Amino acid sequence: MNIIFYAESGFNPKNGGIERVSHMLSNEFISLRHQVFFVSRYPGPPDEQYTPAVPQLILPNQKKICSTSNIAEFTDFVKKNMVDIIICQHSYNKDFTTLPYLVKQKTGVKILYSIHTTPNYQTITLEAATKSKPILPSEKSIARQYRRIMRIVFKQQKIKSKNKKMAALLNLLNKFGDGVVLLSEKYIPITQHISGLTTTDKLFAINNPNTYISSEIDTTIEKENSLLFVGRLTTEKHPEKAMLLWQRIQNRFPDWNLKIVGAGKLEKDLQILKNKLNLQRCFIEGRRDPKPYYEKSKILLLPSDMEGFPMVVTEAMQHGVVPIVFNTFEALSDIIDDNISGISIEPYNLDEFEQKLTTLMKNEEKCEQMANAGRKSVKKFALQNIAKQWEELFDKIITDKTS
C-alpha cells in the first residue's frame, strides 16, 4: 500500500510528538513493505543532521494552502506515486484539511484525519484558565489579570463558541474524510457529543506508539533521587507548577533534585521564578535529548492543563520513571493504572499532588514496584502493535465502497 503523511512543518522527529509519531510509523510501514511519502506545507526548521528517509513534497505556495499550484502539485504527486491513503497529521485548520479533499476529488485517494489531542481541548483550556492561580511574574501583569477575569466572566459563552467551531470542523472532517482517527476510544463519545454526529462509523481510535524499542533501554543504569519534567515550556504544560511543588518540598528532601527538560517561550520566566522562589537543586536544562534524564530519574511530574496521549508519559514508563499526572484528559486511564503503574491527581489540585508525590518519594520500595509495573504495562503500546492497528484500518477503508 502507498501512504502519504501530510503535515504542516516537516517530519523531523526532534521537532515534536506528531513528527516523532509520523517518523516511527513511516519506518515501521516501510519494514512491512508499504511505500511511504511525505507532503508538508513548510520544510521545517533547518537541521543538517536530518534527511527525510522517504520522498517528500514541499508545497509550492505556503501562504495560500488551497492554491491552484498546491492542488496541482499534490494531485500529480498522488498520481505519480499511485498513493492509496493520505494521513493528515494536522487536522485543526479548515483550509489545511480541505486541500487533501480537493486532491481526493481528482484522484479518488482515501483520507484519514488524525486528531492529536483531546477533542474538547479548548473547553479544558478555558476551564483551567479559570481554576489555576497565576504563578509566573508575567501572568500577574494588569493586562493578563484582566484577560483572566474576562475568561471567568464570559466562560460559558466562550465554551459555547469554541464548541460550535469544533463541531463545524469535526463535521467537515467526517464529510471530507474516510475516517477520523482519535488517540483513545474514550474520545469517541466526546467527539460525537461535540459534533452532533448521529453515527460513529467513521470514528476510529489508535493510541500513540512507544518511542523506544526494548533494545534501546538499559535497565541496569542506577537511578538518582531526581524528579523530572519533560515538555514544551508553554502555558498549557505548566512547568512552573513543577517548580512550585519543588519549592514546597525541597527542604524536606535535601538529597533530591528537580530537572526541567524542554524549550519554549516560558524559559526566561522560569529562570526569574527560580530565583524568586529561591529554588535549590533545580536545573532548567533547555532543549535536550530526554533519554539520559529518563534513565536517571525516578518520578515524572506532568501538571498540564490538557493532553491527548502524552508520549512523555509512555517514554518515562519505558525507562522505569513513575508518572504523577493531573487527570485532565480521558486517555490517562489508557496509559496508567492509578496507584499501580502511575498516579492520577485531581485536576489543578497542587495540595493533593504534593501529598502523593512526597508519599512516593519516602517509599523507595513502592516507587520501585510502580516503576516495574509501568515497564510491563506500557509494552502494549509497542510500535508493532500500533502499526498493525493502522494496517487493519487501511484495509477497512480501502475495501469500504461507501466512503
Short mmCIF file of all heavy atoms in Angstrom, two decimals, residues 114-167:
data_model
loop_
_atom_site.label_atom_id
_atom_site.label_comp_id
_atom_site.label_asym_id
_atom_site.label_seq_id
_atom_site.Cartn_x
_atom_site.Cartn_y
_atom_site.Cartn_z
N SER A 114 -6.19 12.69 11.41
CA SER A 114 -5.77 12.38 12.78
C SER A 114 -5.94 13.59 13.67
O SER A 114 -5.52 14.70 13.31
CB SER A 114 -4.30 11.94 12.80
OG SER A 114 -4.15 10.68 12.20
N ILE A 115 -6.51 13.38 14.85
CA ILE A 115 -6.64 14.43 15.85
C ILE A 115 -5.73 14.06 17.02
O ILE A 115 -5.96 13.07 17.71
CB ILE A 115 -8.09 14.60 16.31
CG1 ILE A 115 -8.94 15.06 15.12
CG2 ILE A 115 -8.19 15.59 17.46
CD1 ILE A 115 -10.40 15.28 15.44
N HIS A 116 -4.69 14.86 17.23
CA HIS A 116 -3.62 14.51 18.16
C HIS A 116 -3.78 15.14 19.54
O HIS A 116 -2.80 15.37 20.24
CB HIS A 116 -2.26 14.88 17.56
CG HIS A 116 -1.83 13.96 16.47
ND1 HIS A 116 -1.20 12.76 16.70
CD2 HIS A 116 -1.98 14.05 15.12
CE1 HIS A 116 -0.95 12.15 15.55
NE2 HIS A 116 -1.42 12.91 14.57
N THR A 117 -5.00 15.43 19.91
CA THR A 117 -5.27 15.91 21.27
C THR A 117 -6.68 15.49 21.64
O THR A 117 -7.38 14.85 20.84
CB THR A 117 -5.08 17.43 21.38
OG1 THR A 117 -5.17 17.82 22.75
CG2 THR A 117 -6.12 18.18 20.56
N THR A 118 -7.09 15.83 22.86
CA THR A 118 -8.48 15.55 23.21
C THR A 118 -9.38 16.51 22.43
O THR A 118 -9.06 17.68 22.26
CB THR A 118 -8.69 15.72 24.73
OG1 THR A 118 -10.08 15.59 25.03
CG2 THR A 118 -8.21 17.06 25.23
N PRO A 119 -10.50 16.02 21.89
CA PRO A 119 -11.34 16.87 21.03
C PRO A 119 -11.93 18.09 21.74
O PRO A 119 -12.28 19.07 21.10
CB PRO A 119 -12.47 15.92 20.59
CG PRO A 119 -12.04 14.56 20.95
CD PRO A 119 -10.99 14.65 21.99
N ASN A 120 -12.04 18.03 23.06
CA ASN A 120 -12.58 19.16 23.82
C ASN A 120 -11.48 19.99 24.48
O ASN A 120 -11.66 20.58 25.53
CB ASN A 120 -13.58 18.68 24.88
CG ASN A 120 -12.96 17.69 25.86
OD1 ASN A 120 -11.92 17.09 25.58
ND2 ASN A 120 -13.60 17.49 27.00
N TYR A 121 -10.31 20.04 23.82
CA TYR A 121 -9.16 20.72 24.41
C TYR A 121 -9.41 22.20 24.67
O TYR A 121 -8.90 22.76 25.66
CB TYR A 121 -7.91 20.53 23.53
CG TYR A 121 -7.89 21.32 22.25
CD1 TYR A 121 -7.25 22.55 22.19
CD2 TYR A 121 -8.49 20.84 21.11
CE1 TYR A 121 -7.22 23.29 21.02
CE2 TYR A 121 -8.46 21.57 19.93
CZ TYR A 121 -7.83 22.79 19.88
OH TYR A 121 -7.81 23.51 18.71
N GLN A 122 -10.18 22.84 23.82
CA GLN A 122 -10.42 24.28 24.01
C GLN A 122 -11.26 24.53 25.26
O GLN A 122 -11.00 25.48 26.01
CB GLN A 122 -11.09 24.86 22.77
CG GLN A 122 -10.17 24.85 21.56
CD GLN A 122 -10.87 25.30 20.29
OE1 GLN A 122 -12.02 24.96 20.04
NE2 GLN A 122 -10.18 26.09 19.48
N THR A 123 -12.23 23.67 25.50
CA THR A 123 -13.05 23.79 26.71
C THR A 123 -12.21 23.56 27.95
O THR A 123 -12.30 24.28 28.95
CB THR A 123 -14.21 22.77 26.67
OG1 THR A 123 -15.02 23.04 25.52
CG2 THR A 123 -15.06 22.88 27.93
N ILE A 124 -11.36 22.53 27.91
CA ILE A 124 -10.49 22.22 29.04
C ILE A 124 -9.55 23.39 29.33
O ILE A 124 -9.32 23.75 30.49
CB ILE A 124 -9.68 20.94 28.77
CG1 ILE A 124 -10.62 19.73 28.72
CG2 ILE A 124 -8.61 20.72 29.84
CD1 ILE A 124 -9.95 18.45 28.28
N THR A 125 -9.00 23.99 28.27
CA THR A 125 -8.09 25.12 28.44
C THR A 125 -8.78 26.29 29.12
O THR A 125 -8.22 26.95 30.01
CB THR A 125 -7.51 25.55 27.08
OG1 THR A 125 -6.84 24.44 26.48
CG2 THR A 125 -6.52 26.69 27.24
N LEU A 126 -10.03 26.55 28.73
CA LEU A 126 -10.79 27.63 29.36
C LEU A 126 -11.09 27.31 30.83
O LEU A 126 -11.01 28.18 31.70
CB LEU A 126 -12.10 27.85 28.60
CG LEU A 126 -12.01 28.70 27.33
CD1 LEU A 126 -13.30 28.63 26.54
CD2 LEU A 126 -11.68 30.14 27.67
N GLU A 127 -11.45 26.06 31.11
CA GLU A 127 -11.71 25.65 32.49
C GLU A 127 -10.45 25.86 33.34
O GLU A 127 -10.51 26.37 34.46
CB GLU A 127 -12.13 24.17 32.54
CG GLU A 127 -13.52 23.90 32.00
CD GLU A 127 -14.61 24.28 32.98
OE1 GLU A 127 -14.31 24.72 34.10
OE2 GLU A 127 -15.80 24.15 32.61
N ALA A 128 -9.32 25.44 32.79
CA ALA A 128 -8.06 25.56 33.53
C ALA A 128 -7.71 27.01 33.81
O ALA A 128 -7.21 27.36 34.89
CB ALA A 128 -6.94 24.89 32.75
N ALA A 129 -7.97 27.87 32.82
CA ALA A 129 -7.63 29.29 32.98
C ALA A 129 -8.41 29.95 34.10
O ALA A 129 -7.96 30.91 34.72
CB ALA A 129 -7.89 30.02 31.67
N THR A 130 -9.58 29.41 34.40
CA THR A 130 -10.40 30.00 35.47
C THR A 130 -10.13 29.36 36.82
O THR A 130 -10.50 29.92 37.86
CB THR A 130 -11.90 29.85 35.14
OG1 THR A 130 -12.23 28.45 35.06
CG2 THR A 130 -12.23 30.52 33.83
N LYS A 131 -9.48 28.19 36.85
CA LYS A 131 -9.26 27.47 38.11
C LYS A 131 -7.83 27.55 38.61
O LYS A 131 -7.58 27.41 39.80
CB LYS A 131 -9.68 26.01 37.94
CG LYS A 131 -11.17 25.82 37.75
CD LYS A 131 -11.54 24.35 37.58
CE LYS A 131 -13.04 24.18 37.42
NZ LYS A 131 -13.42 22.76 37.22
N SER A 132 -6.87 27.75 37.70
CA SER A 132 -5.47 27.81 38.11
C SER A 132 -5.08 29.23 38.47
O SER A 132 -5.37 30.17 37.71
CB SER A 132 -4.57 27.30 36.97
OG SER A 132 -4.81 25.94 36.72
N LYS A 133 -4.41 29.40 39.60
CA LYS A 133 -3.96 30.72 40.00
C LYS A 133 -2.65 31.06 39.30
O LYS A 133 -1.81 30.19 39.10
CB LYS A 133 -3.76 30.75 41.53
CG LYS A 133 -5.04 30.59 42.32
CD LYS A 133 -4.77 30.65 43.81
CE LYS A 133 -6.07 30.48 44.61
NZ LYS A 133 -5.82 30.50 46.07
N PRO A 134 -2.46 32.33 38.92
CA PRO A 134 -1.22 32.72 38.25
C PRO A 134 -0.01 32.51 39.17
O PRO A 134 -0.06 32.81 40.35
CB PRO A 134 -1.42 34.20 37.93
CG PRO A 134 -2.77 34.57 38.35
CD PRO A 134 -3.39 33.44 39.08
N ILE A 135 1.08 32.02 38.59
CA ILE A 135 2.31 31.77 39.33
C ILE A 135 3.47 32.59 38.77
O ILE A 135 4.21 33.24 39.51
CB ILE A 135 2.67 30.27 39.29
CG1 ILE A 135 1.57 29.44 39.95
CG2 ILE A 135 4.02 30.00 39.96
CD1 ILE A 135 1.72 27.94 39.76
N LEU A 136 3.59 32.61 37.45
CA LEU A 136 4.70 33.32 36.82
C LEU A 136 4.52 34.83 36.94
O LEU A 136 3.39 35.33 36.88
CB LEU A 136 4.80 32.93 35.34
CG LEU A 136 5.20 31.48 35.05
CD1 LEU A 136 4.97 31.15 33.59
CD2 LEU A 136 6.66 31.25 35.42
N PRO A 137 5.62 35.57 37.07
CA PRO A 137 5.52 37.04 37.17
C PRO A 137 4.77 37.66 35.98
O PRO A 137 3.97 38.59 36.17
CB PRO A 137 6.99 37.48 37.20
CG PRO A 137 7.72 36.30 37.76
CD PRO A 137 7.00 35.09 37.27
N SER A 138 5.01 37.15 34.78
CA SER A 138 4.37 37.72 33.59
C SER A 138 2.86 37.51 33.60
O SER A 138 2.11 38.27 32.97
CB SER A 138 4.95 37.10 32.33
OG SER A 138 4.73 35.70 32.30
N GLU A 139 2.39 36.49 34.32
CA GLU A 139 0.94 36.23 34.40
C GLU A 139 0.24 37.20 35.34
O GLU A 139 -0.99 37.27 35.35
CB GLU A 139 0.70 34.80 34.89
CG GLU A 139 1.13 33.72 33.92
CD GLU A 139 0.90 32.33 34.48
OE1 GLU A 139 1.13 32.11 35.68
OE2 GLU A 139 0.48 31.46 33.69
N LYS A 140 1.01 37.92 36.14
CA LYS A 140 0.42 38.80 37.14
C LYS A 140 0.34 40.25 36.69
O LYS A 140 -0.01 41.14 37.47
CB LYS A 140 1.22 38.71 38.44
CG LYS A 140 1.17 37.31 39.05
CD LYS A 140 1.96 37.20 40.34
CE LYS A 140 1.91 35.79 40.91
NZ LYS A 140 2.66 35.66 42.17
N SER A 141 0.65 40.49 35.40
CA SER A 141 0.52 41.85 34.86
C SER A 141 -0.96 42.24 34.83
O SER A 141 -1.84 41.37 34.82
CB SER A 141 1.10 41.92 33.45
OG SER A 141 0.31 41.16 32.55
N ILE A 142 -1.22 43.53 34.81
CA ILE A 142 -2.60 44.01 34.81
C ILE A 142 -3.35 43.49 33.59
O ILE A 142 -4.51 43.04 33.69
CB ILE A 142 -2.63 45.56 34.84
CG1 ILE A 142 -2.08 46.07 36.18
CG2 ILE A 142 -4.06 46.08 34.63
CD1 ILE A 142 -1.93 47.56 36.26
N ALA A 143 -2.69 43.49 32.44
CA ALA A 143 -3.34 43.03 31.20
C ALA A 143 -3.70 41.55 31.28
O ALA A 143 -4.81 41.14 30.90
CB ALA A 143 -2.42 43.28 30.00
N ARG A 144 -2.77 40.74 31.79
CA ARG A 144 -3.03 39.30 31.90
C ARG A 144 -4.12 39.02 32.93
O ARG A 144 -4.96 38.13 32.74
CB ARG A 144 -1.75 38.56 32.26
CG ARG A 144 -0.67 38.58 31.18
CD ARG A 144 -1.02 37.65 30.03
NE ARG A 144 -0.96 36.26 30.40
CZ ARG A 144 0.15 35.51 30.37
NH1 ARG A 144 1.30 36.06 29.99
NH2 ARG A 144 0.10 34.24 30.69
N GLN A 145 -4.11 39.76 34.02
CA GLN A 145 -5.13 39.58 35.05
C GLN A 145 -6.51 39.97 34.52
O GLN A 145 -7.52 39.31 34.81
CB GLN A 145 -4.79 40.42 36.29
CG GLN A 145 -3.57 39.94 37.05
CD GLN A 145 -3.87 38.73 37.92
OE1 GLN A 145 -4.33 37.69 37.44
NE2 GLN A 145 -3.60 38.85 39.20
N TYR A 146 -6.54 41.03 33.72
CA TYR A 146 -7.80 41.47 33.13
C TYR A 146 -8.36 40.39 32.19
O TYR A 146 -9.55 40.07 32.23
CB TYR A 146 -7.61 42.79 32.36
CG TYR A 146 -8.85 43.25 31.64
CD1 TYR A 146 -9.89 43.87 32.32
CD2 TYR A 146 -8.97 43.07 30.26
CE1 TYR A 146 -11.03 44.29 31.66
CE2 TYR A 146 -10.11 43.49 29.58
CZ TYR A 146 -11.13 44.10 30.29
OH TYR A 146 -12.26 44.51 29.63
N ARG A 147 -7.46 39.80 31.35
CA ARG A 147 -7.91 38.76 30.44
C ARG A 147 -8.43 37.55 31.22
O ARG A 147 -9.41 36.92 30.82
CB ARG A 147 -6.76 38.34 29.51
CG ARG A 147 -6.46 39.34 28.41
CD ARG A 147 -5.76 38.71 27.23
NE ARG A 147 -4.46 38.16 27.58
CZ ARG A 147 -3.33 38.85 27.55
NH1 ARG A 147 -3.35 40.14 27.21
NH2 ARG A 147 -2.18 38.29 27.86
N ARG A 148 -7.78 37.24 32.32
CA ARG A 148 -8.22 36.11 33.13
C ARG A 148 -9.62 36.37 33.71
O ARG A 148 -10.48 35.48 33.71
CB ARG A 148 -7.22 35.86 34.26
CG ARG A 148 -7.55 34.66 35.12
CD ARG A 148 -6.40 34.32 36.08
NE ARG A 148 -6.72 33.14 36.85
CZ ARG A 148 -7.36 33.14 38.00
NH1 ARG A 148 -7.73 34.31 38.55
NH2 ARG A 148 -7.63 32.02 38.64
N ILE A 149 -9.84 37.58 34.18
CA ILE A 149 -11.17 37.93 34.73
C ILE A 149 -12.23 37.82 33.64
O ILE A 149 -13.33 37.30 33.87
CB ILE A 149 -11.14 39.34 35.34
CG1 ILE A 149 -10.26 39.35 36.60
CG2 ILE A 149 -12.56 39.82 35.67
CD1 ILE A 149 -9.96 40.73 37.13
N MET A 150 -11.90 38.30 32.43
CA MET A 150 -12.86 38.22 31.33
C MET A 150 -13.17 36.77 30.96
O MET A 150 -14.31 36.44 30.62
CB MET A 150 -12.30 38.97 30.10
CG MET A 150 -12.26 40.49 30.25
SD MET A 150 -13.90 41.23 30.51
CE MET A 150 -13.86 41.49 32.30
N ARG A 151 -12.16 35.91 31.03
CA ARG A 151 -12.41 34.48 30.76
C ARG A 151 -13.39 33.90 31.79
O ARG A 151 -14.26 33.10 31.44
CB ARG A 151 -11.10 33.69 30.81
CG ARG A 151 -10.19 33.88 29.63
CD ARG A 151 -9.14 32.78 29.60
NE ARG A 151 -8.05 33.11 28.71
CZ ARG A 151 -6.86 33.56 29.09
NH1 ARG A 151 -6.63 33.75 30.37
NH2 ARG A 151 -5.93 33.82 28.21
N ILE A 152 -13.21 34.29 33.04
CA ILE A 152 -14.10 33.80 34.09
C ILE A 152 -15.53 34.31 33.88
O ILE A 152 -16.49 33.54 33.94
CB ILE A 152 -13.58 34.21 35.48
CG1 ILE A 152 -12.23 33.53 35.76
CG2 ILE A 152 -14.58 33.88 36.56
CD1 ILE A 152 -11.52 34.05 36.99
N VAL A 153 -15.65 35.60 33.59
CA VAL A 153 -16.98 36.22 33.43
C VAL A 153 -17.72 35.63 32.24
O VAL A 153 -18.91 35.33 32.31
CB VAL A 153 -16.84 37.75 33.29
CG1 VAL A 153 -18.18 38.38 32.92
CG2 VAL A 153 -16.31 38.36 34.59
N PHE A 154 -17.00 35.45 31.13
CA PHE A 154 -17.64 35.02 29.89
C PHE A 154 -17.33 33.56 29.55
O PHE A 154 -17.40 33.16 28.39
CB PHE A 154 -17.20 35.93 28.74
CG PHE A 154 -17.63 37.36 28.90
CD1 PHE A 154 -16.71 38.34 29.24
CD2 PHE A 154 -18.96 37.73 28.73
CE1 PHE A 154 -17.09 39.67 29.40
CE2 PHE A 154 -19.36 39.05 28.89
CZ PHE A 154 -18.42 40.03 29.23
N LYS A 155 -17.00 32.77 30.58
CA LYS A 155 -16.55 31.40 30.33
C LYS A 155 -17.59 30.59 29.56
O LYS A 155 -17.26 29.94 28.56
CB LYS A 155 -16.22 30.69 31.65
CG LYS A 155 -15.69 29.28 31.46
CD LYS A 155 -15.25 28.66 32.76
CE LYS A 155 -16.43 28.18 33.58
NZ LYS A 155 -16.01 27.38 34.75
N GLN A 156 -18.83 30.62 29.99
CA GLN A 156 -19.85 29.78 29.34
C GLN A 156 -20.07 30.19 27.88
O GLN A 156 -20.23 29.33 27.01
CB GLN A 156 -21.16 29.85 30.13
CG GLN A 156 -21.10 29.21 31.49
CD GLN A 156 -20.59 27.77 31.45
OE1 GLN A 156 -20.97 26.99 30.56
NE2 GLN A 156 -19.73 27.41 32.39
N GLN A 157 -20.06 31.51 27.63
CA GLN A 157 -20.22 31.96 26.24
C GLN A 157 -19.03 31.51 25.39
O GLN A 157 -19.21 31.09 24.24
CB GLN A 157 -20.35 33.49 26.18
CG GLN A 157 -21.61 34.05 26.84
CD GLN A 157 -21.37 34.46 28.29
OE1 GLN A 157 -20.74 33.72 29.06
NE2 GLN A 157 -21.88 35.64 28.63
N LYS A 158 -17.84 31.61 25.96
CA LYS A 158 -16.65 31.21 25.21
C LYS A 158 -16.65 29.71 24.94
O LYS A 158 -16.29 29.26 23.85
CB LYS A 158 -15.38 31.62 25.99
CG LYS A 158 -15.05 33.09 25.90
CD LYS A 158 -13.79 33.41 26.68
CE LYS A 158 -13.39 34.86 26.49
NZ LYS A 158 -12.90 35.15 25.15
N ILE A 159 -17.04 28.92 25.95
CA ILE A 159 -17.10 27.47 25.76
C ILE A 159 -18.10 27.12 24.65
O ILE A 159 -17.82 26.28 23.78
CB ILE A 159 -17.49 26.77 27.08
CG1 ILE A 159 -16.30 26.82 28.05
CG2 ILE A 159 -17.91 25.33 26.84
CD1 ILE A 159 -16.63 26.29 29.44
N LYS A 160 -19.24 27.78 24.68
CA LYS A 160 -20.25 27.53 23.65
C LYS A 160 -19.72 27.88 22.26
O LYS A 160 -19.91 27.12 21.30
CB LYS A 160 -21.51 28.36 23.95
CG LYS A 160 -22.68 28.07 23.04
CD LYS A 160 -23.92 28.85 23.47
CE LYS A 160 -25.09 28.57 22.55
NZ LYS A 160 -26.31 29.33 22.97
N SER A 161 -19.02 29.01 22.17
CA SER A 161 -18.45 29.43 20.88
C SER A 161 -17.37 28.47 20.39
O SER A 161 -17.35 28.08 19.22
CB SER A 161 -17.88 30.85 21.02
OG SER A 161 -17.19 31.23 19.86
N LYS A 162 -16.48 28.07 21.32
CA LYS A 162 -15.40 27.14 20.95
C LYS A 162 -15.95 25.79 20.50
O LYS A 162 -15.48 25.20 19.52
CB LYS A 162 -14.45 26.93 22.14
CG LYS A 162 -13.72 28.18 22.60
CD LYS A 162 -12.59 28.55 21.69
CE LYS A 162 -11.75 29.68 22.26
NZ LYS A 162 -10.70 30.14 21.34
N ASN A 163 -16.95 25.30 21.23
CA ASN A 163 -17.55 24.02 20.86
C ASN A 163 -18.26 24.08 19.52
O ASN A 163 -18.25 23.11 18.76
CB ASN A 163 -18.53 23.56 21.94
CG ASN A 163 -17.83 22.97 23.15
OD1 ASN A 163 -16.65 22.61 23.08
ND2 ASN A 163 -18.54 22.86 24.26
N LYS A 164 -18.85 25.23 19.22
CA LYS A 164 -19.51 25.40 17.93
C LYS A 164 -18.50 25.32 16.79
O LYS A 164 -18.74 24.66 15.76
CB LYS A 164 -20.26 26.74 17.90
CG LYS A 164 -21.09 26.96 16.64
CD LYS A 164 -21.85 28.28 16.73
CE LYS A 164 -22.70 28.50 15.47
NZ LYS A 164 -23.44 29.79 15.53
N LYS A 165 -17.35 25.96 16.97
CA LYS A 165 -16.31 25.92 15.94
C LYS A 165 -15.75 24.51 15.79
O LYS A 165 -15.50 24.04 14.68
CB LYS A 165 -15.19 26.91 16.29
CG LYS A 165 -15.58 28.36 16.13
CD LYS A 165 -14.42 29.29 16.50
CE LYS A 165 -14.83 30.75 16.36
NZ LYS A 165 -13.72 31.67 16.77
N MET A 166 -15.53 23.83 16.93
CA MET A 166 -15.01 22.47 16.88
C MET A 166 -16.02 21.54 16.22
O MET A 166 -15.65 20.64 15.45
CB MET A 166 -14.65 21.99 18.27
CG MET A 166 -14.12 20.55 18.32
SD MET A 166 -12.68 20.25 17.25
CE MET A 166 -11.40 21.05 18.20
N ALA A 167 -17.29 21.74 16.51
CA ALA A 167 -18.34 20.91 15.89
C ALA A 167 -18.32 21.06 14.38
O ALA A 167 -18.44 20.07 13.64
CB ALA A 167 -19.71 21.30 16.44
#
